[in-house]
Amino acid sequence: GSMRVAMPGAVRMLCLAALLGALGAGGTELTLELPDSAQRCFHQELESGIKFTLDYQVISGGHYDVDCHVEDPNGKTIYQETKKQYDSFSHHTEVKGVYTFCFSNEFSTFSHKIVYFDFQVGDEPPILPDMNNRVTALTQMESACVTIHEMLNAVIDSQTHYRLREAQDRSRAEELNGRVSYWSVGETLILFVVSIGQVVLLKSFFTEKRPSSGGAGT
């Protein structure tokens, strides 16, 4: 099925193109900007008895947290978490229909978030032909291929994890650098004002007072 995105205008078309293209491979990865006091929802039509997995992580913004919930076609909430930095949710569908998952930043009034999510549908197909129907043991070559495939999947997951951590750490470093820069500018201004005040104050101490004019008549 196709995934529909509750986003306005050109952003909706761009995200739809990315999502529909990725769903051919059984899932999608997307990084979205979530403004303050906003919510973004995605809709996916699924058959019954299918497994789907949702992984998400906040990359930047505020305290790196977001609300997330998932609803089945009957409107029943099957997953709900508030102010999570990252999480993973897996579910086997019981009914056919449109499943909805939403990311919400409505609790934040001034900071927008960057959220990454990975939505995978269905089980991975076997890497060898008729692998699920074979009753004989796998050959040493086939077993090695399966092991290598599983290890490569683990490497891909680790690379994604470290890539997200690097992006999150870079965002925090840039935010910290900005705060340090603003604080340095503030300290410079304060030092400049204090220096001028000291000069004026010292100058007033050493200023010679002129005697008042107007003498006494003789």
Side-chain angles (χ1 to χ4, degrees):
S2 62
M3 178 173 287
R4 301 188 300 277
V5 187
M7 285 186 171
V11 176
R12 177 185 301 176
M13 297 302 297
L14 179 62
C15 291
L16 274 174
L19 292 173
L20 292 177
L23 279 175
T28 184
E29 295 181 69
L30 184 65
T31 301
L32 62 97
E33 183 173 357
L34 192 60
D36 53 281
S37 304
Q39 177 175 274
R40 294 287 183 263
C41 291
F42 301 82
H43 311 277
Q44 174 66 42
E45 185 174 0
L46 300 173
E47 299 290 335
S48 61
I50 293 179
K51 176 185 177 181
F52 70 85
T53 302
L54 174 64
D55 297 312
Y56 65 91
Q57 180 174 338
V58 181
I59 299 176
S60 67
H63 296 290
Y64 300 87
D65 51 2
V66 70
D67 294 346
C68 180
H69 72 272
V70 181
E71 294 182 357
D72 67 8
N74 298 325
K76 177 183 176 182
T77 300
I78 56 179
Y79 171 84
Q80 183 170 10
E81 290 291 343
T82 59
K83 297 184 177 181
K84 295 285 290 187
Q85 293 185 351
Y86 58 88
D87 202 6
S88 179
F89 170 68
S90 297
H91 181 74
H92 282 85
T93 59
E94 298 178 355
V95 294
K96 176 183 177 180
V98 177
Y99 286 76
T100 303
F101 60 97
C102 300
F103 299 100
S104 173
N105 193 30
E106 294 176 322
F107 60 88
S108 178
T109 57
F110 58 88
S111 63
H112 69 278
K113 311 289 175 62
I114 303 296
V115 181
Y116 161 88
F117 74 86
D118 181 11
F119 187 77
Q120 297 293 331
V121 179
D123 295 323
E124 184 180 8
I127 64 173
L128 298 175
D130 299 328
M131 181 175 173
N132 294 332
N133 299 325
R134 296 179 60 176
V135 294
T136 58
L138 297 177
T139 66
Q140 185 175 0
M141 181 72 72
E142 291 172 337
S143 298
C145 290
V146 173
T147 301
I148 293 173
H149 178 73
E150 293 175 350
M151 293 177 66
L152 287 176
N153 281 336
V155 169
I156 293 173
D157 293 338
S158 297
Q159 287 179 334
T160 301
H161 172 73
Y162 288 122
R163 186 175 71 249
L164 293 175
R165 288 296 299 272
E166 188 274 335
Q168 189 180 79
D169 292 341
R170 184 174 65 250
S171 175
R172 288 181 175 176
E174 291 175 352
E175 181 182 358
L176 181 60
N177 180 67
R179 292 184 179 182
V180 171
S181 299
Y182 290 138
W183 181 254
S184 299
V185 171
E187 285 186 329
T188 302
L189 292 176
I190 293 174
L191 183 61
F192 183 71
V193 172
V194 170
S195 299
I196 294 178
Q198 289 178 341
V199 171
V200 173
L201 182 61
L202 291 174
K203 186 176 180 181
S204 67
F205 288 159
F206 294 99
T207 300
E208 182 179 356
K209 293 183 179 180
R210 295 180 180 179
S212 59
S213 60
T218 53

PDB file of all heavy atoms in Angstrom, residues 1 43 50 113 119 189 206:
ATOM      1  N   GLY A   1       0.818  -1.183   0.000  1.00  0.00           N
ATOM      2  CA  GLY A   1       0.000   0.000   0.000  1.00  0.00           C
ATOM      3  C   GLY A   1       0.853   1.234   0.000  1.00  0.00           C
ATOM      4  O   GLY A   1       2.045   1.222   0.221  1.00  0.00           O
ATOM      5  N   HIS A  43       0.355   7.907   7.309  1.00  0.00           N
ATOM      6  CA  HIS A  43      -0.682   6.888   7.201  1.00  0.00           C
ATOM      7  C   HIS A  43      -0.218   5.795   6.241  1.00  0.00           C
ATOM      8  O   HIS A  43       0.249   6.090   5.141  1.00  0.00           O
ATOM      9  CB  HIS A  43      -1.986   7.511   6.699  1.00  0.00           C
ATOM     10  CG  HIS A  43      -2.384   8.744   7.439  1.00  0.00           C
ATOM     11  ND1 HIS A  43      -3.060   8.722   8.639  1.00  0.00           N
ATOM     12  CD2 HIS A  43      -2.169  10.064   7.147  1.00  0.00           C
ATOM     13  CE1 HIS A  43      -3.263   9.960   9.054  1.00  0.00           C
ATOM     14  NE2 HIS A  43      -2.724  10.794   8.166  1.00  0.00           N
ATOM     15  N   ILE A  50       0.674  -8.762   9.279  1.00  0.00           N
ATOM     16  CA  ILE A  50       1.964  -8.262   8.814  1.00  0.00           C
ATOM     17  C   ILE A  50       2.676  -7.556   9.970  1.00  0.00           C
ATOM     18  O   ILE A  50       2.052  -6.831  10.752  1.00  0.00           O
ATOM     19  CB  ILE A  50       1.794  -7.297   7.623  1.00  0.00           C
ATOM     20  CG1 ILE A  50       1.274  -8.044   6.398  1.00  0.00           C
ATOM     21  CG2 ILE A  50       3.096  -6.581   7.275  1.00  0.00           C
ATOM     22  CD1 ILE A  50       1.048  -7.173   5.187  1.00  0.00           C
ATOM     23  N   LYS A 113      12.008  20.729  16.315  1.00  0.00           N
ATOM     24  CA  LYS A 113      12.786  19.500  16.425  1.00  0.00           C
ATOM     25  C   LYS A 113      13.088  18.945  15.030  1.00  0.00           C
ATOM     26  O   LYS A 113      12.350  19.158  14.080  1.00  0.00           O
ATOM     27  CB  LYS A 113      12.022  18.441  17.235  1.00  0.00           C
ATOM     28  CG  LYS A 113      11.445  18.932  18.559  1.00  0.00           C
ATOM     29  CD  LYS A 113      12.509  19.184  19.591  1.00  0.00           C
ATOM     30  CE  LYS A 113      11.944  19.785  20.865  1.00  0.00           C
ATOM     31  NZ  LYS A 113      10.976  18.909  21.543  1.00  0.00           N
ATOM     32  N   PHE A 119      10.667   3.307   9.125  1.00  0.00           N
ATOM     33  CA  PHE A 119       9.437   2.515   9.145  1.00  0.00           C
ATOM     34  C   PHE A 119       9.604   1.324   8.217  1.00  0.00           C
ATOM     35  O   PHE A 119       9.730   1.493   7.005  1.00  0.00           O
ATOM     36  CB  PHE A 119       8.246   3.375   8.714  1.00  0.00           C
ATOM     37  CG  PHE A 119       6.911   2.696   8.858  1.00  0.00           C
ATOM     38  CD1 PHE A 119       6.315   2.565  10.093  1.00  0.00           C
ATOM     39  CD2 PHE A 119       6.248   2.189   7.742  1.00  0.00           C
ATOM     40  CE1 PHE A 119       5.087   1.948  10.227  1.00  0.00           C
ATOM     41  CE2 PHE A 119       5.029   1.565   7.860  1.00  0.00           C
ATOM     42  CZ  PHE A 119       4.439   1.443   9.112  1.00  0.00           C
ATOM     43  N   LEU A 189      30.936  43.423  26.224  1.00  0.00           N
ATOM     44  CA  LEU A 189      30.169  44.660  26.379  1.00  0.00           C
ATOM     45  C   LEU A 189      30.165  45.133  27.830  1.00  0.00           C
ATOM     46  O   LEU A 189      30.326  46.331  28.106  1.00  0.00           O
ATOM     47  CB  LEU A 189      28.735  44.441  25.890  1.00  0.00           C
ATOM     48  CG  LEU A 189      28.567  44.205  24.379  1.00  0.00           C
ATOM     49  CD1 LEU A 189      27.105  43.911  24.047  1.00  0.00           C
ATOM     50  CD2 LEU A 189      29.054  45.415  23.598  1.00  0.00           C
ATOM     51  N   PHE A 206      39.898  63.545  40.142  1.00  0.00           N
ATOM     52  CA  PHE A 206      41.071  64.393  39.959  1.00  0.00           C
ATOM     53  C   PHE A 206      40.774  65.700  39.214  1.00  0.00           C
ATOM     54  O   PHE A 206      41.677  66.456  38.879  1.00  0.00           O
ATOM     55  CB  PHE A 206      42.149  63.617  39.180  1.00  0.00           C
ATOM     56  CG  PHE A 206      42.695  62.457  39.956  1.00  0.00           C
ATOM     57  CD1 PHE A 206      42.226  61.169  39.712  1.00  0.00           C
ATOM     58  CD2 PHE A 206      43.659  62.648  40.939  1.00  0.00           C
ATOM     59  CE1 PHE A 206      42.717  60.096  40.436  1.00  0.00           C
ATOM     60  CE2 PHE A 206      44.151  61.569  41.654  1.00  0.00           C
ATOM     61  CZ  PHE A 206      43.681  60.283  41.409  1.00  0.00           C
TER      62      PHE A 206
END
